Amino acid sequence: MSVTVFEGTTPLFSASGTWQTQGQSSQGALKQNWKLKLKNSSTGNKLSLRIGDWFPMTSVTLKGYGTDRTLVRDSLTTAIWREMRKNPSGLLAPLSAYQYFDGTDLGTHTSALFTTAGFPAELWQNGTFLGMYVLRSPADLPDYLMDDSNNQHILIQPQHAGNIWEGTFTSTEWTVQSPAISGYDDQDDISTSAPDINAACSRIVKWFGDCVAGNVDARATYPQYIDLQSFLDYVLICELAGSYDSMQNNFELGSWNATSTSGIWSVWLYDCDETWGLIIGLGGAKSDAENIGWVMENPYGYGWQSPGFFKLMHTIFRPELRARWAQLRQAGIIDAARIKRWIAEYVVLIDPTIMQQDLENWKLTGATGSIDVSMNIEKESVSYIMNYAQTRIAWIDAQWGYSGA
């Protein structure tokens, strides 16, 4: 391919390269995701692109979000979560994680996102409009302050990990992103190729399983295993956004000091397009904000995932969840008016006539994602998401007795 990137009608740069589909769910979708791998047109070398304060990237990800045609849900959820994580320290991770790089580049890693970020973009091919997409950051290792040459810097992502809450780490159910393992492909068995890494991952997953089974006291032992506030914030953002696809899938689990006998693990948000009223296998009012109950208790079995340890947090760490909710409400981070403003500032980047053309190219009733959009057409609007946020915040306030006092 040859590609030119514009801001409005102003060309920013041109490059050569290749493009391909991106993501597992995209393979069977009509409106697919794309990954553009960039090269310098003159030299043929890889081309690094930096957007704003994102780390440089050698490929561009364009998400079609066949499930969420508003293109709002994923970027909104991760933006709120980042603001949550920055409160009150101002950073998304412990200071020590940034200090690790002091000797390399004076620790200039403060723009690490610890998830993805994105904004709307139009895709045209040879003068023909293909569709509206979200140009999304790739969430590579620098975004998690990971050094893949350090065997204690472990970053793993579950791929519908069915054994996680039973306490068994099955590496073929996970993607190991860090550290680097020679010859590794996604979801390989690492039990013999990287036994030390496998043992470190097994330690935390076994603890999860023991807590869920009641074999260990989660409150007494958690300081040896997890960064509690990261888990509190993860549960709260899933509750706020109604994310039923985040229990055995679509999160990152990472540690900077993991071994087979020690290490503190954090959890980070990932892939949030099935949120704010969109739940696989469910349509209509049942998935509205006031009707779904507690996501991480999942009493109705929505989304076909077990909440496991996250459900246990509602029991063991309910006082901390309530206190953290109140703290974030008082700080104005979880706030309906603030969320509406964010959505409005994001959506203003979308030309309504272009969105109309996108809908003509890719019908709402088409099979464009894992959720049957035809069951949820009334949820495919910006106003629905705004109303959902307001209703969901009020519902959680009522459950926990938060009145702003």
Side-chain angles (χ1 to χ4, degrees), residues 252-295:
E252 300 275 1
L253 198 63
S255 175
W256 297 284
N257 59 358
T259 72
S260 62
T261 58
S262 63
I264 305 300
W265 292 76
S266 298
V267 62
W268 299 303
L269 197 63
Y270 189 81
D271 253 1
C272 302
D273 53 313
E274 293 185 15
T275 51
W276 308 94
L278 298 183
I279 302 173
I280 190 168
L282 196 67
K286 287 183 179 181
S287 60
D288 287 346
E290 68 274 32
N291 296 330
I292 59 174
W294 290 115
V295 171

mmCIF file of all heavy atoms in Angstrom, residues 252-295:
data_model
loop_
_atom_site.group_PDB
_atom_site.id
_atom_site.type_symbol
_atom_site.label_atom_id
_atom_site.label_comp_id
_atom_site.label_asym_id
_atom_site.label_seq_id
_atom_site.Cartn_x
_atom_site.Cartn_y
_atom_site.Cartn_z
ATOM 1 N N GLU A 252 -5.318 -7.129 31.214
ATOM 2 C CA GLU A 252 -3.888 -7.408 31.288
ATOM 3 C C GLU A 252 -3.520 -7.626 32.752
ATOM 4 O O GLU A 252 -3.964 -6.878 33.634
ATOM 5 C CB GLU A 252 -3.066 -6.239 30.732
ATOM 6 C CG GLU A 252 -3.350 -5.903 29.283
ATOM 7 C CD GLU A 252 -2.555 -6.742 28.311
ATOM 8 O OE1 GLU A 252 -1.777 -7.607 28.765
ATOM 9 O OE2 GLU A 252 -2.691 -6.512 27.090
ATOM 10 N N LEU A 253 -2.729 -8.647 32.996
ATOM 11 C CA LEU A 253 -2.239 -8.947 34.332
ATOM 12 C C LEU A 253 -0.723 -8.816 34.286
ATOM 13 O O LEU A 253 -0.076 -9.436 33.434
ATOM 14 C CB LEU A 253 -2.648 -10.361 34.727
ATOM 15 C CG LEU A 253 -2.609 -10.752 36.212
ATOM 16 C CD1 LEU A 253 -3.592 -9.911 37.012
ATOM 17 C CD2 LEU A 253 -2.944 -12.233 36.365
ATOM 18 N N GLY A 254 -0.170 -7.976 35.163
ATOM 19 C CA GLY A 254 1.264 -7.730 35.063
ATOM 20 C C GLY A 254 1.941 -7.508 36.389
ATOM 21 O O GLY A 254 1.316 -7.136 37.391
ATOM 22 N N SER A 255 3.251 -7.757 36.396
ATOM 23 C CA SER A 255 4.070 -7.564 37.591
ATOM 24 C C SER A 255 5.473 -7.164 37.156
ATOM 25 O O SER A 255 5.957 -7.574 36.097
ATOM 26 C CB SER A 255 4.122 -8.855 38.418
ATOM 27 O OG SER A 255 5.011 -8.717 39.513
ATOM 28 N N TRP A 256 6.121 -6.341 37.993
ATOM 29 C CA TRP A 256 7.508 -5.956 37.746
ATOM 30 C C TRP A 256 8.484 -6.715 38.652
ATOM 31 O O TRP A 256 9.677 -6.492 38.581
ATOM 32 C CB TRP A 256 7.695 -4.455 37.958
ATOM 33 C CG TRP A 256 6.887 -3.620 37.009
ATOM 34 C CD1 TRP A 256 7.170 -3.395 35.692
ATOM 35 C CD2 TRP A 256 5.678 -2.916 37.280
ATOM 36 N NE1 TRP A 256 6.208 -2.586 35.131
ATOM 37 C CE2 TRP A 256 5.278 -2.272 36.082
ATOM 38 C CE3 TRP A 256 4.880 -2.752 38.422
ATOM 39 C CZ2 TRP A 256 4.129 -1.486 35.998
ATOM 40 C CZ3 TRP A 256 3.745 -1.977 38.329
ATOM 41 C CH2 TRP A 256 3.373 -1.365 37.138
ATOM 42 N N ASN A 257 7.978 -7.591 39.504
ATOM 43 C CA ASN A 257 8.858 -8.313 40.435
ATOM 44 C C ASN A 257 8.373 -9.744 40.670
ATOM 45 O O ASN A 257 8.483 -10.268 41.780
ATOM 46 C CB ASN A 257 8.970 -7.564 41.761
ATOM 47 C CG ASN A 257 7.620 -7.367 42.448
ATOM 48 O OD1 ASN A 257 6.580 -7.761 41.924
ATOM 49 N ND2 ASN A 257 7.641 -6.762 43.625
ATOM 50 N N ALA A 258 7.849 -10.374 39.623
ATOM 51 C CA ALA A 258 7.229 -11.687 39.781
ATOM 52 C C ALA A 258 8.260 -12.811 39.732
ATOM 53 O O ALA A 258 9.110 -12.865 38.843
ATOM 54 C CB ALA A 258 6.190 -11.907 38.693
ATOM 55 N N THR A 259 8.166 -13.702 40.705
ATOM 56 C CA THR A 259 8.929 -14.950 40.709
ATOM 57 C C THR A 259 7.985 -16.069 41.115
ATOM 58 O O THR A 259 6.800 -15.847 41.371
ATOM 59 C CB THR A 259 10.110 -14.901 41.696
ATOM 60 O OG1 THR A 259 9.611 -14.959 43.043
ATOM 61 C CG2 THR A 259 10.943 -13.642 41.517
ATOM 62 N N SER A 260 8.524 -17.272 41.222
ATOM 63 C CA SER A 260 7.691 -18.416 41.612
ATOM 64 C C SER A 260 7.286 -18.360 43.076
ATOM 65 O O SER A 260 6.373 -19.084 43.496
ATOM 66 C CB SER A 260 8.433 -19.719 41.334
ATOM 67 O OG SER A 260 9.628 -19.789 42.111
ATOM 68 N N THR A 261 7.936 -17.486 43.863
ATOM 69 C CA THR A 261 7.658 -17.440 45.303
ATOM 70 C C THR A 261 7.226 -16.070 45.803
ATOM 71 O O THR A 261 6.867 -15.927 46.972
ATOM 72 C CB THR A 261 8.907 -17.871 46.101
ATOM 73 O OG1 THR A 261 10.006 -17.008 45.766
ATOM 74 C CG2 THR A 261 9.270 -19.313 45.791
ATOM 75 N N SER A 262 7.262 -15.049 44.957
ATOM 76 C CA SER A 262 6.901 -13.710 45.409
ATOM 77 C C SER A 262 6.483 -12.858 44.216
ATOM 78 O O SER A 262 6.588 -13.282 43.060
ATOM 79 C CB SER A 262 8.081 -13.039 46.134
ATOM 80 O OG SER A 262 9.170 -12.864 45.232
ATOM 81 N N GLY A 263 6.015 -11.636 44.514
ATOM 82 C CA GLY A 263 5.655 -10.706 43.447
ATOM 83 C C GLY A 263 4.267 -10.126 43.618
ATOM 84 O O GLY A 263 3.345 -10.802 44.079
ATOM 85 N N ILE A 264 4.142 -8.824 43.281
ATOM 86 C CA ILE A 264 2.872 -8.119 43.357
ATOM 87 C C ILE A 264 2.359 -7.893 41.948
ATOM 88 O O ILE A 264 3.078 -7.401 41.076
ATOM 89 C CB ILE A 264 3.044 -6.761 44.083
ATOM 90 C CG1 ILE A 264 3.668 -6.967 45.468
ATOM 91 C CG2 ILE A 264 1.698 -6.040 44.179
ATOM 92 C CD1 ILE A 264 2.867 -7.849 46.389
ATOM 93 N N TRP A 265 1.093 -8.230 41.736
ATOM 94 C CA TRP A 265 0.482 -8.154 40.418
ATOM 95 C C TRP A 265 -0.578 -7.061 40.364
ATOM 96 O O TRP A 265 -1.295 -6.824 41.346
ATOM 97 C CB TRP A 265 -0.155 -9.490 40.052
ATOM 98 C CG TRP A 265 0.830 -10.594 39.821
ATOM 99 C CD1 TRP A 265 1.518 -11.289 40.783
ATOM 100 C CD2 TRP A 265 1.253 -11.115 38.557
ATOM 101 N NE1 TRP A 265 2.335 -12.218 40.190
ATOM 102 C CE2 TRP A 265 2.198 -12.143 38.823
ATOM 103 C CE3 TRP A 265 0.922 -10.838 37.233
ATOM 104 C CZ2 TRP A 265 2.803 -12.878 37.806
ATOM 105 C CZ3 TRP A 265 1.527 -11.570 36.214
ATOM 106 C CH2 TRP A 265 2.456 -12.572 36.507
ATOM 107 N N SER A 266 -0.673 -6.411 39.195
ATOM 108 C CA SER A 266 -1.708 -5.415 38.935
ATOM 109 C C SER A 266 -2.574 -5.888 37.776
ATOM 110 O O SER A 266 -2.152 -6.719 36.963
ATOM 111 C CB SER A 266 -1.079 -4.065 38.582
ATOM 112 O OG SER A 266 -0.301 -3.559 39.642
ATOM 113 N N VAL A 267 -3.778 -5.332 37.693
ATOM 114 C CA VAL A 267 -4.685 -5.655 36.591
ATOM 115 C C VAL A 267 -4.990 -4.363 35.841
ATOM 116 O O VAL A 267 -5.181 -3.316 36.449
ATOM 117 C CB VAL A 267 -5.975 -6.337 37.107
ATOM 118 C CG1 VAL A 267 -6.766 -5.443 38.046
ATOM 119 C CG2 VAL A 267 -6.836 -6.805 35.943
ATOM 120 N N TRP A 268 -5.008 -4.467 34.492
ATOM 121 C CA TRP A 268 -5.216 -3.290 33.654
ATOM 122 C C TRP A 268 -6.277 -3.568 32.602
ATOM 123 O O TRP A 268 -6.400 -4.677 32.094
ATOM 124 C CB TRP A 268 -3.890 -2.887 32.984
ATOM 125 C CG TRP A 268 -2.824 -2.524 33.987
ATOM 126 C CD1 TRP A 268 -2.904 -1.570 34.945
ATOM 127 C CD2 TRP A 268 -1.528 -3.131 34.128
ATOM 128 N NE1 TRP A 268 -1.730 -1.525 35.676
ATOM 129 C CE2 TRP A 268 -0.867 -2.472 35.203
ATOM 130 C CE3 TRP A 268 -0.848 -4.139 33.461
ATOM 131 C CZ2 TRP A 268 0.417 -2.805 35.618
ATOM 132 C CZ3 TRP A 268 0.435 -4.483 33.866
ATOM 133 C CH2 TRP A 268 1.057 -3.799 34.935
ATOM 134 N N LEU A 269 -6.999 -2.550 32.267
ATOM 135 C CA LEU A 269 -8.161 -2.627 31.379
ATOM 136 C C LEU A 269 -7.743 -2.818 29.921
ATOM 137 O O LEU A 269 -6.719 -2.301 29.481
ATOM 138 C CB LEU A 269 -8.940 -1.311 31.514
ATOM 139 C CG LEU A 269 -10.373 -1.240 31.040
ATOM 140 C CD1 LEU A 269 -11.241 -2.197 31.856
ATOM 141 C CD2 LEU A 269 -10.884 0.191 31.175
ATOM 142 N N TYR A 270 -8.574 -3.555 29.150
ATOM 143 C CA TYR A 270 -8.290 -3.748 27.726
ATOM 144 C C TYR A 270 -9.583 -4.099 26.986
ATOM 145 O O TYR A 270 -10.419 -4.822 27.520
ATOM 146 C CB TYR A 270 -7.257 -4.868 27.529
ATOM 147 C CG TYR A 270 -6.743 -4.989 26.119
ATOM 148 C CD1 TYR A 270 -5.745 -4.136 25.658
ATOM 149 C CD2 TYR A 270 -7.260 -5.934 25.246
ATOM 150 C CE1 TYR A 270 -5.276 -4.229 24.354
ATOM 151 C CE2 TYR A 270 -6.794 -6.032 23.949
ATOM 152 C CZ TYR A 270 -5.799 -5.178 23.504
ATOM 153 O OH TYR A 270 -5.340 -5.276 22.207
ATOM 154 N N ASP A 271 -9.740 -3.581 25.778
ATOM 155 C CA ASP A 271 -10.857 -3.907 24.874
ATOM 156 C C ASP A 271 -12.219 -3.713 25.538
ATOM 157 O O ASP A 271 -12.754 -4.637 26.162
ATOM 158 C CB ASP A 271 -10.728 -5.343 24.354
ATOM 159 C CG ASP A 271 -10.304 -5.363 22.897
ATOM 160 O OD1 ASP A 271 -10.103 -4.292 22.314
ATOM 161 O OD2 ASP A 271 -10.173 -6.472 22.334
ATOM 162 N N CYS A 272 -12.790 -2.541 25.355
ATOM 163 C CA CYS A 272 -14.020 -2.181 26.074
ATOM 164 C C CYS A 272 -15.137 -1.729 25.142
ATOM 165 O O CYS A 272 -15.915 -0.828 25.486
ATOM 166 C CB CYS A 272 -13.714 -1.071 27.078
ATOM 167 S SG CYS A 272 -12.445 -1.488 28.266
ATOM 168 N N ASP A 273 -15.253 -2.342 23.972
ATOM 169 C CA ASP A 273 -16.326 -1.944 23.067
ATOM 170 C C ASP A 273 -17.655 -2.604 23.429
ATOM 171 O O ASP A 273 -18.720 -2.067 23.108
ATOM 172 C CB ASP A 273 -15.962 -2.238 21.610
ATOM 173 C CG ASP A 273 -15.535 -3.680 21.390
ATOM 174 O OD1 ASP A 273 -14.713 -4.176 22.172
ATOM 175 O OD2 ASP A 273 -16.017 -4.308 20.426
ATOM 176 N N GLU A 274 -17.618 -3.752 24.111
ATOM 177 C CA GLU A 274 -18.857 -4.409 24.547
ATOM 178 C C GLU A 274 -19.209 -3.906 25.945
ATOM 179 O O GLU A 274 -19.114 -4.623 26.938
ATOM 180 C CB GLU A 274 -18.699 -5.930 24.521
ATOM 181 C CG GLU A 274 -18.539 -6.487 23.117
ATOM 182 C CD GLU A 274 -18.508 -8.002 23.074
ATOM 183 O OE1 GLU A 274 -18.888 -8.641 24.079
ATOM 184 O OE2 GLU A 274 -18.089 -8.548 22.034
ATOM 185 N N THR A 275 -19.644 -2.660 26.011
ATOM 186 C CA THR A 275 -19.909 -1.975 27.277
ATOM 187 C C THR A 275 -21.086 -1.027 27.100
ATOM 188 O O THR A 275 -21.665 -0.941 26.021
ATOM 189 C CB THR A 275 -18.674 -1.172 27.728
ATOM 190 O OG1 THR A 275 -18.229 -0.351 26.628
ATOM 191 C CG2 THR A 275 -17.528 -2.079 28.165
ATOM 192 N N TRP A 276 -21.453 -0.317 28.187
ATOM 193 C CA TRP A 276 -22.486 0.726 28.154
ATOM 194 C C TRP A 276 -23.740 0.222 27.450
ATOM 195 O O TRP A 276 -24.248 0.823 26.506
ATOM 196 C CB TRP A 276 -21.946 2.003 27.490
ATOM 197 C CG TRP A 276 -20.648 2.472 28.081
ATOM 198 C CD1 TRP A 276 -19.389 2.179 27.622
ATOM 199 C CD2 TRP A 276 -20.470 3.276 29.248
ATOM 200 N NE1 TRP A 276 -18.441 2.763 28.436
ATOM 201 C CE2 TRP A 276 -19.070 3.453 29.439
ATOM 202 C CE3 TRP A 276 -21.351 3.892 30.157
ATOM 203 C CZ2 TRP A 276 -18.533 4.188 30.498
ATOM 204 C CZ3 TRP A 276 -20.817 4.632 31.202
ATOM 205 C CH2 TRP A 276 -19.432 4.778 31.362
ATOM 206 N N GLY A 277 -24.241 -0.951 27.908
ATOM 207 C CA GLY A 277 -25.503 -1.485 27.410
ATOM 208 C C GLY A 277 -25.389 -2.570 26.370
ATOM 209 O O GLY A 277 -26.413 -3.153 25.985
ATOM 210 N N LEU A 278 -24.177 -2.871 25.887
ATOM 211 C CA LEU A 278 -23.988 -3.939 24.915
ATOM 212 C C LEU A 278 -23.447 -5.176 25.617
ATOM 213 O O LEU A 278 -22.348 -5.155 26.163
ATOM 214 C CB LEU A 278 -23.023 -3.509 23.807
ATOM 215 C CG LEU A 278 -23.446 -2.319 22.948
ATOM 216 C CD1 LEU A 278 -22.421 -2.069 21.848
ATOM 217 C CD2 LEU A 278 -24.834 -2.515 22.352
ATOM 218 N N ILE A 279 -24.225 -6.261 25.599
ATOM 219 C CA ILE A 279 -23.845 -7.515 26.242
ATOM 220 C C ILE A 279 -24.141 -8.646 25.263
ATOM 221 O O ILE A 279 -25.253 -8.734 24.731
ATOM 222 C CB ILE A 279 -24.621 -7.747 27.554
ATOM 223 C CG1 ILE A 279 -24.389 -6.590 28.528
ATOM 224 C CG2 ILE A 279 -24.219 -9.072 28.204
ATOM 225 C CD1 ILE A 279 -25.260 -6.655 29.782
ATOM 226 N N ILE A 280 -23.166 -9.495 25.022
ATOM 227 C CA ILE A 280 -23.347 -10.573 24.059
ATOM 228 C C ILE A 280 -24.518 -11.469 24.473
ATOM 229 O O ILE A 280 -24.677 -11.835 25.640
ATOM 230 C CB ILE A 280 -22.041 -11.396 23.905
ATOM 231 C CG1 ILE A 280 -22.148 -12.352 22.724
ATOM 232 C CG2 ILE A 280 -21.683 -12.126 25.190
ATOM 233 C CD1 ILE A 280 -20.832 -12.987 22.327
ATOM 234 N N GLY A 281 -25.363 -11.769 23.506
ATOM 235 C CA GLY A 281 -26.500 -12.650 23.743
ATOM 236 C C GLY A 281 -27.696 -11.990 24.388
ATOM 237 O O GLY A 281 -28.686 -12.654 24.695
ATOM 238 N N LEU A 282 -27.639 -10.680 24.599
ATOM 239 C CA LEU A 282 -28.712 -9.990 25.318
ATOM 240 C C LEU A 282 -29.101 -8.739 24.551
ATOM 241 O O LEU A 282 -28.253 -8.034 24.010
ATOM 242 C CB LEU A 282 -28.237 -9.617 26.726
ATOM 243 C CG LEU A 282 -29.323 -9.245 27.735
ATOM 244 C CD1 LEU A 282 -30.186 -10.467 28.064
ATOM 245 C CD2 LEU A 282 -28.687 -8.704 29.015
ATOM 246 N N GLY A 283 -30.382 -8.445 24.509
ATOM 247 C CA GLY A 283 -30.854 -7.243 23.840
ATOM 248 C C GLY A 283 -31.949 -6.565 24.636
ATOM 249 O O GLY A 283 -32.426 -7.081 25.649
ATOM 250 N N GLY A 284 -32.337 -5.380 24.173
ATOM 251 C CA GLY A 284 -33.443 -4.670 24.794
ATOM 252 C C GLY A 284 -33.134 -4.136 26.175
ATOM 253 O O GLY A 284 -31.988 -3.947 26.564
ATOM 254 N N ALA A 285 -34.193 -3.931 26.962
ATOM 255 C CA ALA A 285 -34.077 -3.271 28.263
ATOM 256 C C ALA A 285 -33.314 -4.093 29.288
ATOM 257 O O ALA A 285 -32.843 -3.540 30.289
ATOM 258 C CB ALA A 285 -35.470 -2.945 28.800
ATOM 259 N N LYS A 286 -33.183 -5.395 29.089
ATOM 260 C CA LYS A 286 -32.500 -6.222 30.077
ATOM 261 C C LYS A 286 -31.056 -5.789 30.303
ATOM 262 O O LYS A 286 -30.500 -6.017 31.382
ATOM 263 C CB LYS A 286 -32.532 -7.696 29.651
ATOM 264 C CG LYS A 286 -33.894 -8.356 29.791
ATOM 265 C CD LYS A 286 -33.818 -9.832 29.428
ATOM 266 C CE LYS A 286 -35.160 -10.516 29.596
ATOM 267 N NZ LYS A 286 -35.091 -11.965 29.254
ATOM 268 N N SER A 287 -30.428 -5.183 29.304
ATOM 269 C CA SER A 287 -29.033 -4.770 29.453
ATOM 270 C C SER A 287 -28.895 -3.285 29.768
ATOM 271 O O SER A 287 -27.788 -2.750 29.742
ATOM 272 C CB SER A 287 -28.242 -5.106 28.192
ATOM 273 O OG SER A 287 -28.776 -4.443 27.060
ATOM 274 N N ASP A 288 -30.004 -2.618 30.077
ATOM 275 C CA ASP A 288 -29.934 -1.211 30.465
ATOM 276 C C ASP A 288 -29.289 -1.062 31.838
ATOM 277 O O ASP A 288 -29.249 -2.010 32.639
ATOM 278 C CB ASP A 288 -31.322 -0.585 30.466
ATOM 279 C CG ASP A 288 -31.864 -0.343 29.059
ATOM 280 O OD1 ASP A 288 -31.061 -0.412 28.110
ATOM 281 O OD2 ASP A 288 -33.077 -0.091 28.925
ATOM 282 N N ALA A 289 -28.822 0.141 32.120
ATOM 283 C CA ALA A 289 -27.979 0.394 33.290
ATOM 284 C C ALA A 289 -28.625 -0.001 34.609
ATOM 285 O O ALA A 289 -27.958 -0.490 35.524
ATOM 286 C CB ALA A 289 -27.589 1.873 33.326
ATOM 287 N N GLU A 290 -29.925 0.220 34.739
ATOM 288 C CA GLU A 290 -30.599 -0.024 36.004
ATOM 289 C C GLU A 290 -31.079 -1.454 36.159
ATOM 290 O O GLU A 290 -31.592 -1.822 37.239
ATOM 291 C CB GLU A 290 -31.794 0.932 36.158
ATOM 292 C CG GLU A 290 -32.939 0.692 35.192
ATOM 293 C CD GLU A 290 -32.784 1.394 33.844
ATOM 294 O OE1 GLU A 290 -31.644 1.560 33.365
ATOM 295 O OE2 GLU A 290 -33.838 1.752 33.272
ATOM 296 N N ASN A 291 -30.871 -2.302 35.137
ATOM 297 C CA ASN A 291 -31.446 -3.646 35.151
ATOM 298 C C ASN A 291 -30.433 -4.778 35.243
ATOM 299 O O ASN A 291 -30.823 -5.934 35.396
ATOM 300 C CB ASN A 291 -32.300 -3.861 33.894
ATOM 301 C CG ASN A 291 -33.495 -2.927 33.835
ATOM 302 O OD1 ASN A 291 -34.028 -2.526 34.865
ATOM 303 N ND2 ASN A 291 -33.906 -2.572 32.630
ATOM 304 N N ILE A 292 -29.147 -4.486 35.144
ATOM 305 C CA ILE A 292 -28.163 -5.567 35.034
ATOM 306 C C ILE A 292 -27.615 -6.031 36.378
ATOM 307 O O ILE A 292 -26.926 -7.041 36.455
ATOM 308 C CB ILE A 292 -26.986 -5.155 34.128
ATOM 309 C CG1 ILE A 292 -26.282 -3.897 34.666
ATOM 310 C CG2 ILE A 292 -27.442 -4.966 32.703
ATOM 311 C CD1 ILE A 292 -25.023 -3.523 33.900
ATOM 312 N N GLY A 293 -27.909 -5.298 37.453
ATOM 313 C CA GLY A 293 -27.348 -5.666 38.753
ATOM 314 C C GLY A 293 -25.852 -5.404 38.791
ATOM 315 O O GLY A 293 -25.311 -4.612 38.020
ATOM 316 N N TRP A 294 -25.154 -6.096 39.715
ATOM 317 C CA TRP A 294 -23.714 -5.957 39.813
ATOM 318 C C TRP A 294 -23.043 -6.821 38.760
ATOM 319 O O TRP A 294 -23.234 -8.030 38.729
ATOM 320 C CB TRP A 294 -23.219 -6.363 41.202
ATOM 321 C CG TRP A 294 -23.588 -5.426 42.307
ATOM 322 C CD1 TRP A 294 -24.402 -5.687 43.373
ATOM 323 C CD2 TRP A 294 -23.133 -4.076 42.476
ATOM 324 N NE1 TRP A 294 -24.498 -4.593 44.192
ATOM 325 C CE2 TRP A 294 -23.725 -3.578 43.662
ATOM 326 C CE3 TRP A 294 -22.296 -3.229 41.738
ATOM 327 C CZ2 TRP A 294 -23.501 -2.278 44.126
ATOM 328 C CZ3 TRP A 294 -22.077 -1.944 42.197
ATOM 329 C CH2 TRP A 294 -22.664 -1.481 43.372
ATOM 330 N N VAL A 295 -22.259 -6.211 37.916
ATOM 331 C CA VAL A 295 -21.578 -6.925 36.839
ATOM 332 C C VAL A 295 -20.714 -8.044 37.396
ATOM 333 O O VAL A 295 -20.763 -9.185 36.943
ATOM 334 C CB VAL A 295 -20.719 -5.949 36.007
ATOM 335 C CG1 VAL A 295 -19.834 -6.718 35.023
ATOM 336 C CG2 VAL A 295 -21.599 -4.954 35.269
#
